[in-house]
Amino acid sequence: MWSTLMQRFRRFPFFSLDRHQWMKQILSQEIEKGRSVVMFYVDIVKLTELENRYGVTVAKRVLHAFERILPAVTRQVFDLRGKSLAIQKLWGDDYAIYVSFGGSLNEEDCRLLSIHIQEQAERQLNQQVSFVNREELSVRIGYVRLPGRDLGKEMYTSVKRAIHMAKYGLTSDAYTNMTQFQKLLAEENVSMNFMPIVHLPDGQTLGWEALARGPKTSPFASPAALFHYAEETNTVLQLEHLCRKRAIEQLRYIKPQHKLFINLDPRAMDDPLLLRGEYSPCLNNTACIRIMSCWKLRSGTQSRIMPYFAKSSRNTGKKAT
């Protein structure tokens, strides 16, 4: 009984951006225990507009009221299913709530929890700031699961992804598309088609161009839709990485004298994984092949073709160079 009361009234840890390493350690410990960690992003809609209309003092009172109610709302919504870890103040009226859950937690669970905390936060906020009686304030929310493979990077990118989700709204078609796209990346559900590249004088096949396709029954079946949504969600490099991986997995089916052409966004040339030679192990014991990287500048300038991987040997024990 006493421990339950202490847990209920414990001081909720708020932390700022400069406590990043401390929070990273907390999250790492939860993931090592086999728990799922989810970051929920919340902010007040149009706080800047409210400040312009009613003044800085009123806006500060609204913000302080929001900071007072957020810990209680967080415990009320999340602690029945999981464990609230901390709230990070990002900037202005933007906050990240880190929660860990034991057992299974699917996308629908996260969505319902998000809607619940959104409703509770809006209700309590409007009760606290009745002095702004012209209109009710609303709260936006988004969420992202943290796999834990690279927590430092995930803590940064998760905020950007959650902001996109919050902007679209949890009940919109755009939200549905976003969750489907995140599932596509998580499950690596991208397939490759291969178009022959021929020598015009004699019609001989020189190589094959790898073309990415999303699931046929999804909004991302066409490459245009697939990469457009990656641009919208700032996941171009992640999608590029997946497409390269899928293309190189098919090397075993390509004749040794043929070349493989892979399309790259120019920004992918700065991808740390690409620069570290992430695909060298995939090239061992495959057909003797020369892989080329073909990319087009989005400004419409002339295409360029440049070497990507040099060569790998079949059954020679040699490493790819």
Side-chain angles (χ1 to χ4, degrees), residues 1 31 39 41 58 64 82 102 121 139 190 217 233 242 271 280 285:
M1 180 66 178
I31 291 172
M39 189 278 289
Y41 163 87
V58 169
H64 291 160
V139 173
V190 171
T217 57
T233 55
L242 174 56
D271 185 348
S280 293
N285 301 319

Side-chain angles (χ1 to χ4, degrees), residues 40-139:
F40 295 86
Y41 163 87
V42 293
D43 81 327
I44 303 172
V45 178
K46 298 181 180 179
L47 183 64
T48 302
E49 183 177 312
L50 184 144
E51 178 182 343
N52 294 334
R53 184 179 302 177
Y54 299 111
V56 175
T57 301
V58 169
K60 285 184 177 180
R61 290 176 65 185
V62 170
L63 188 58
H64 291 160
F66 189 59
E67 289 187 352
R68 285 196 304 270
I69 69 169
L70 197 54
V73 170
T74 297
R75 286 194 293 264
Q76 177 185 350
V77 172
F78 294 126
D79 283 4
L80 292 177
R81 287 286 309 271
K83 180 170 69 172
S84 304
L85 300 175
I87 300 176
Q88 179 184 23
K89 180 164 183 168
L90 300 171
W91 47 79
D93 60 330
D94 298 51
Y95 299 85
I97 304 171
Y98 293 93
V99 187
S100 71
F101 298 91
S104 61
L105 188 76
N106 57 37
E107 289 296 324
E108 184 62 13
D109 292 331
C110 291
R111 189 181 76 89
L112 292 176
L113 285 169
S114 298
I115 292 174
H116 191 190
I117 193 172
Q118 182 182 32
E119 292 173 347
Q120 292 297 319
E122 288 178 349
R123 182 178 62 82
Q124 295 192 30
L125 178 62
N126 283 291
Q127 289 175 352
Q128 293 282 332
V129 296
S130 56
F131 52 86
V132 185
N133 54 14
R134 302 279 181 91
E135 60 186 53
E136 287 198 345
L137 299 175
S138 57
V139 173

Side-chain angles (χ1 to χ4, degrees), residues 5 23 30 32 71 94 102 118 124 173 257 278:
L5 288 174
M23 192 64 227
E30 292 296 311
E32 288 174 359
D94 298 51
Q118 182 182 32
Q124 295 192 30
D173 291 339
Q257 67 271 24
E278 59 182 324

Side-chain angles (χ1 to χ4, degrees), residues 158-192:
S158 63
V159 173
K160 298 169 69 176
R161 290 168 56 193
I163 288 175
H164 276 90
M165 181 181 292
K167 180 178 68 175
Y168 293 137
L170 294 171
T171 58
S172 66
D173 291 339
Y175 163 80
T176 302
N177 289 343
M178 170 169 281
T179 55
Q180 288 186 26
F181 188 75
Q182 290 177 350
K183 184 179 180 182
L184 177 150
L185 292 178
E187 297 178 353
E188 299 188 345
N189 192 8
V190 171
S191 59
M192 304 303 294

Side-chain angles (χ1 to χ4, degrees), residues 194 197 205-210 247-248 251-252 254-262 283 286-294 305-314 320-321:
F194 292 88
I197 298 176
T205 299
L206 296 177
W208 303 85
E209 181 181 1
I248 293 171
L251 287 180
R252 70 193 74 175
I254 296 178
K255 294 181 179 181
Q257 67 271 24
H258 288 171
K259 298 178 177 65
L260 175 64
F261 292 82
I262 299 176
L283 296 175
T286 61
C288 181
I289 187 168
R290 184 171 181 82
I291 306 173
M292 307 292 288
S293 147
C294 174
I305 297 180
M306 56 196 309
Y308 180 31
F309 290 109
K311 189 176 182 181
S312 66
S313 302
R314 188 206 306 267
T321 57

